[in-house]
């Protein structure tokens, strides 16, 4: 399926947000996910199915002042 | 003047807020953080780099329970973007504090007063503890306070310039009129800038580049820590007033051989 | 730049030199001295008041073995008087250090350069460890060094004024050219002045009124102690250079939603 | 005998500098004495006889900056 | 950098804008105006005092055809009030220029950034030549320019304080970024403040109290007039850069007797 | 404060003293001198270059009768050398004025206080009108006055640096205590420095590099000329005092619509 | 008739704005008039009749910075 | 004859200071001369004979601050 992830076109076979995050090895990282402009919390990740054309953001804390 | 600094219901024993950007490496960063004894650390929110998703991340090195995390909205160009970043930051579960930072000029990174005001208002309404980074405009700082900011953070000088307190007078007006804590943020170059801010009565100082890019960040963190204490203590001690003419510090009594 | 300060063969762990005049009472004075952790204390020499000869004297309260005593020649109007006071001070057996202080203007208590030079030369020849209080004239400071002074002590501002560093540029020239320690002496008002002096590279700071006449001398002594450390650490840490334009302290990487 | 002590005319019955200092109760104080412009050390005090018209200074450390 | 100053289509030969308040008497005021050679004069709009309606009025003494009148909106607390005053001023037929001045703090008379922006926008749309008095916030000044202001007038310091340029850095940023004239307004104390503003590249200076309340207003008007020219000329002449070390101004050639 | 400046019995209508070194070419130099309206011009004394003995000399371009010539002793390292130069200068028949300038540090060209004092004393005794260039040490300036100097010329900053007034406080003390004219000499960078010196009450300003090495020396000469007048006028006009809080410059009377 | 003029209750017998202004001797002065929050220009003054309860403002230029 | 002129060894055939100055074409220039450390005024130039080994300085005004 074709998605936009972090602003770039990507293909994935993941069926849910949880699987998508896992496919990057980020399941234990402190990341936050947004789907189509709406934040989805970790406990929701299993329940949200990936659909073609979704816009997904995966963000985290970085150094900043 | 309260002896204890409290923001968003949290008591802070250190008045030193430290940024986490631009250190030469994580080891130096951690040593600097440790040496600083800061309680509040700032961060930015960015996309995970999915090419190297498991690379070294900053939070691997910082124990969340030891600090208050203050994520910022850097990168936002307007209130909408700032609100979006703030929500993402909060969704991490790490903190409901947010530093509103809406910079619109690439050369100066100075904030936009109108958008900063809007973002602050919206985020306060959403329950955030909002600490807006702002110019040193006393009226704007008062407006931010009225809007519900938990503290105001006027800049000493543009971010990363190290120019020190460009307008101590305005900062002192802001402090004089504020009913919320005033944290001087950005533009600090060295320890004397920090002392000067604290002597004006600031409740704290937030800095990043002055430590991270010093030749020796760990020692500079130490310098800043002592500068905070020196400045606060001097403020509380009631300095002597300035006089045009001299007064002897030695007893003026009876000088041998004059009689 | 040596990490250890040494004057007249004596290693000093504290770079804070404290005066003993003008405290509200001996108790506060002692607390302030204790809090300051100063190692060098200055004194003046005066006639005993023979009407009340056994009255409270300052040395009752200060243990000689804990400190280096630095008597001054205050009251002297010329080299002859200064030399006489210096000899009296040394005859006490307490110290062979002497602060040459020859003030000739009642309003400003500023030193006389020619007499200061003469007195320094004579006292060096008599074996004193001589620390002349001087103006911030770089050439004069060099002359005093050539004459054998153990350290030079240029004034930040006239004694007791609290005006701070009137001419940081001249002080930095003196420091740059000196092969002996430079102790900034007199005119300090508050902690930020001390930090500024130390950041210029001064080897130490001598002050009195700024502590003794603060509203809370003990807390101000603490402020000054930390200011010394903060300023010295900042000096050693290599501060960031000043820039006209901003540099982001937050990572500039990939901002959510831009793509 | 009439002397100048610390710039003031005084009378004393003390025979030596040591006795003079003692007459003020200063024998244990950290004072320094000068007789006719010349410093006399504590160990000399017993040996110096007070003479009429002597100029004597007795000084000590006081607070100073 | 244009050699000629033009605002609202009007070419101005003098860069000195003078206020008309607080002079000791109309005679001194007129002499000061004459001596100043200012072309733009500011005024306030107030109710006629109907108890003494025909009393001495300021316009009796000033020939309208010799000057550009720049009425201000002082007294206005928000954009609505400012717009109302502006319309009244314009209805006089004397001028369609307006200085937007919306002060919201009684102690500092500092402007409200949000209301100033609103008022400027509305008055530009109504066809006024709008010169907003503003803080020295560079982003806000840019916003005012984008909104259609004919010039921006950032304050040097709060009105009537005489504190001079509190933040020359910010003023220089504003000047650097502006595509419209920048007139430094308010807070000027003396001639050197004016020169400093002009040397930063300001297009003009507006002041009032510094002349009106000087001991000798007429002579001070002269001082300010020359200060404008001195500062502008120095700006155009390209000053020498500052150096840390000396360079002989005398020829270093062959000094007699050295050979 | 006398309205007229008089040195060595000569009344001077201009308070601007101009140096003649370092101009790009004689034409620009003459235009700058003309534009400056200076009456006192400084020169150095050097060996004629005997390889090209008839080359262009400075005095070809300057009419002696229009100016007071103030030769300096630059190059002298001590009082003996300064006296020798002074005598050579006087033997020209052009002037019996002499600027004592004894610089002993190659990096800073700062004067030697002891040699300056000696040379001044000897030259006064030989009948010269002596204007010593000196540091800003108030006691030394008083000593020079007592020695018979016709004026004292404390430096604003080291020669050619353009750093401006490093220590306005000391300069103001010198002016306050002097019974002879005080001419601020050296270190001037731009017009605002000149105004600041004159506002402190200086009787005049001597500069060279700030004009000669400006991008446009002639226009800078004009800037300086007006700066002298602006600063002097401001000094005589009694500037407003600085206040922490604002005072309205507009009448506070009856604001429309409030009733 | 009772009016509010410049924020104060006043009585007048003037029939028009022109007459009102004249009653204060201001007909030649550079004043601006506002009636009930609306500016009325000099050329309109004759045509506007004073009515009871009107709010009138008469303003002018004063010294200001 | 060998002299030191302005610090450099020179040879000259001039018999007097006046002739020496003239030999450089400086007779009308505003120069000042010193012979063996003593200033000699223009009116003395004719009367002072050049001698071997003399130290002569010829100076003038140059630009200075």
């Amino acid at each position: 399926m074709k998605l936009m992830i972090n602003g770039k076109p990507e293909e994935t076979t993941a069926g849910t947000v949880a699987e998508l995050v896992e496919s990057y090895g980020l399941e234990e990282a402190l990341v936050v996910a947004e789907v189509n402009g709406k934040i989805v919390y970790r406990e929701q990740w299993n329940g949200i199915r990936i659909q073609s054309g979704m816009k997904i953001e995966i963000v985290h804390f970085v150094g900043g002042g | 003047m309260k002896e204890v600094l409290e923001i968003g219901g949290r008591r802070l024993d250190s008045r030193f807020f430290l940024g986490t950007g631009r250190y030469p490496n994580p080891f130096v960063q951690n040593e600097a953080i440790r040496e600083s004894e800061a309680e509040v650390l700032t961060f930015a929110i960015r996309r995970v780099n999915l090419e190297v998703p498991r690379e070294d991340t900053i939070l691997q090195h910082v124990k969340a329970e030891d600090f208050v995390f203050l994520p910022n909205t850097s990168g936002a160009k307007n209130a909408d973007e700032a609100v979006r970043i703030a929500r993402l930051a909060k969704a991490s579960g790490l903190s409901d504090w947010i530093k509103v930072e809406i910079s619109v000029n690439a050369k100066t990174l100075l904030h936009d007063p109108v958008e900063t005001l809007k973002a602050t208002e919206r985020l306060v309404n959403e329950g955030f503890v909002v600490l807006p980074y702002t110019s040193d405009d006393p009226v704007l700082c008062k407006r931010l306070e009225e809007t519900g900011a938990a503290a105001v953070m006027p800049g000493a000088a543009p971010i990363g310039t190290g120019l020190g307190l460009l307008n101590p007078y305005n900062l002192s007006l802001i402090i004089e009129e504020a009913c919320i804590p005033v944290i001087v943020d950005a533009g600090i170059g060295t320890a004397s800038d920090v002392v000067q801010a604290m002597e004006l009565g600031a409740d704290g100082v937030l800095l990043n580049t002055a430590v991270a890019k010093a030749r020796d960040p760990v020692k500079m963190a130490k310098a800043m820590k002592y500068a905070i204490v020196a400045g606060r203590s001097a403020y509380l001690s009631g300095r002597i007033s300035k006089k045009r003419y001299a007064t002897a510090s030695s007893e003026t009594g009876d000088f041998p051989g004059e009689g």
Side-chain angles (χ1 to χ4, degrees), chain A, chain B:
Chain A
M1 242 170 316
K2 291 186 178 175
L3 311 170
M4 289 294 282
I5 309 184
N6 283 0
K8 286 179 199 146
E10 305 274 350
E11 288 214 31
T12 186
T13 59
T16 64
V17 171
E19 284 169 28
L20 180 73
V21 169
E22 209 176 336
S23 74
Y24 291 111
L26 292 167
E27 61 280 11
E28 301 199 343
L30 263 169
V31 299
V32 178
E34 201 191 62
V35 175
N36 292 335
K38 234 186 112 189
I39 291 167
V40 291
Y41 292 89
R42 196 169 281 265
E43 54 271 26
Q44 306 173 291
W45 289 357
N46 267 314
I48 297 178
R49 299 211 56 81
I50 300 296
Q51 290 163 20
S52 181
M54 267 184 168
K55 286 189 168 179
I56 293 175
E57 299 276 347
I58 304 174
V59 305
H60 64 159
F61 277 45
V62 300
Chain B
M1 187 184 57
K2 289 189 299 180
E3 242 323 64
V4 172
L5 175 59
E6 212 180 280
I7 296 178
R10 161 102 186 208
R11 178 202 166 115
L12 297 168
D13 290 315
S14 162
R15 292 167 181 277
F16 185 9
F17 293 32
L18 187 58
T20 59
R22 307 184 76 196
Y23 290 84
N25 61 57
F27 174 75
V28 167
Q29 171 169 304
N30 285 345
E31 280 304 291
I33 291 172
R34 195 189 48 69
E35 182 69 50
S36 76
E37 298 180 32
E39 274 176 272
V40 178
L41 298 182
T42 57
F43 296 91
I45 305 297
R46 293 287 179 273
R47 284 169 168 165
V48 174
N49 179 353
L50 296 175
E51 322 260 308
V52 283
R54 272 166 305 191
E55 74 182 334
D56 200 42
T57 65
I58 196 157
L59 293 181
Q60 286 177 261
H61 305 288
V62 177
K63 276 198 206 159
E65 59 271 28
D66 295 347
F67 300 98
V68 177
F69 282 12
L70 175 55
N72 67 39
T73 67
S74 66
K77 297 273 175 258
N78 53 48
D80 285 344
E81 291 182 7
V83 168
R84 179 165 171 240
I85 301 285
R87 289 171 181 163
L88 286 167
K90 194 179 181 181
S92 72
L94 291 169
S95 178
D96 59 354
W97 289 34
I98 190 77
K99 169 177 168 180
V100 171
E101 178 181 345
I102 302 177
S103 296
V104 290
N105 183 302
K107 240 181 355 185
T108 63
L109 296 176
L110 291 170
H111 86 138
D112 184 298
V114 177
E115 296 297 315
T116 297
L117 205 47
K118 273 191 221 163
T120 299
E121 188 166 19
R122 287 169 58 185
L123 291 167
V124 166
N125 289 338
E126 295 191 16
F128 284 84
V129 175
V130 186
L131 297 88
Y133 163 64
T134 168
S135 77
D136 63 6
D137 180 329
V139 174
L140 183 66
C141 285
K142 201 66 191 173
R143 290 275 174 275
L144 289 164
E145 175 182 328
E146 291 161 1
T147 297
V152 280
M153 307 209 295
I159 295 169
T161 58
L163 292 171
L165 279 62
L166 292 173
N167 193 338
Y169 172 85
N170 268 22
L171 291 174
S172 76
L173 283 185
I174 291 167
I175 290 163
E176 183 178 318
E177 306 234 321
C179 305
I180 53 174
V182 177
I183 310 299
V184 172
D185 178 11
I188 296 297
T190 184
S192 50
D193 300 336
V194 167
V195 180
Q196 195 191 358
M198 297 305 293
E199 285 178 345
L200 290 174
D203 295 280
V205 174
L206 165 48
L207 57 85
N208 184 340
T209 305
V211 162
K213 302 297 276 185
R215 203 180 52 229
D216 183 341
V218 179
K219 201 189 284 288
M220 190 56 99
K222 175 185 158 192
M224 296 306 192
K225 171 181 65 183
Y226 286 125
I228 293 274
V229 178
R232 183 68 184 172
S233 300
Y235 174 64
L236 296 173
S237 301
R239 63 157 287 164
I240 56 170
S241 57
K242 296 185 179 187
K243 294 183 201 155
R244 180 161 170 82
Y245 298 114
T247 312
S249 53
S250 297
E251 283 188 23
T252 46
D254 206 4
F255 180 75
E258 280 169 347

